[in-house]
Amino acid sequence: AVEKAIPQGMDEPFAWGVLALARLQSQRMKDSRRACELARRAVEATERSRPEFLAINPNTTTAVSALLERNLRGAAPDVAWRMATGRFGARYIVSEAAFAIAAHAALGAWANHADGCDAVLLACFGDPGLFALRESSAVPVVGLAEASMHAAAERAGRFSIVTGGPRWRAMLERHAQAL
């Protein structure tokens, strides 16, 4: 039955990843009714000819958002992608303060652009605001770091992350432990 939920032409690994992450998110939730609703909506999104996903870049760099959008459209052409860029905060996240502001910006972007979407991708590797977005959203929310760490752990058990700055190490280690 799950195999039939993947639209013809949609990249199967991508579709399976969306379903698996929706199930993973649902399993972590204590409210079983909400967990079932999230899983149902994820399957419904893959059944439609063109599910709508919101990708949020919580920093203010529109060039990064454009690059993300091009890559997302190329990786999943059967998904209708909406892109939202943080309206305030840092151009690049390099500190705890910038991370906290980016989390706020991600929530703002979600509030302004999420209506009618089937899933949300937090398109910043540190996943600022992931848990708050997940708490607020009626649809599955997946972070780039979360998805990457989950995939790496399933394939190899142990993995490493190369970062762009020394402050990221503590932030990413904390995030990995929370997952």
Side-chain angles (χ1 to χ4, degrees), residues 6 38 45 58 65 67 70 80 86 90 101-102 104 122 124 128 146 162 170 177:
I6 300 172
L38 283 173
S65 295
L67 179 64
R70 273 195 310 277
I101 294 167
H104 183 185
L122 186 52
C124 176
E146 173 192 42
V162 178
Q177 290 169 355

Side-chain angles (χ1 to χ4, degrees), residues 33-49:
R33 275 185 256 149
R34 184 155 184 251
C36 289
E37 175 66 13
L38 283 173
R40 182 188 64 76
R41 287 186 69 149
V43 171
E44 283 177 359
T46 60
E47 288 174 342
R48 274 188 255 129
S49 62

Side-chain angles (χ1 to χ4, degrees), residues 78-93:
D78 291 337
V79 172
W81 288 100
R82 286 189 235 163
M83 195 72 213
T85 304
R87 293 184 349 175
F88 55 87
R91 293 184 51 74
Y92 178 73
I93 301 165

Side-chain angles (χ1 to χ4, degrees), residues 153-178:
E154 284 210 342
R155 285 183 178 81
R158 295 180 58 152
F159 58 91
S160 297
I161 299 171
V162 178
T163 70
R167 294 181 182 170
W168 272 105
R169 180 178 179 164
M171 291 188 286
L172 290 173
E173 284 176 348
R174 184 176 58 245
H175 187 48
Q177 290 169 355

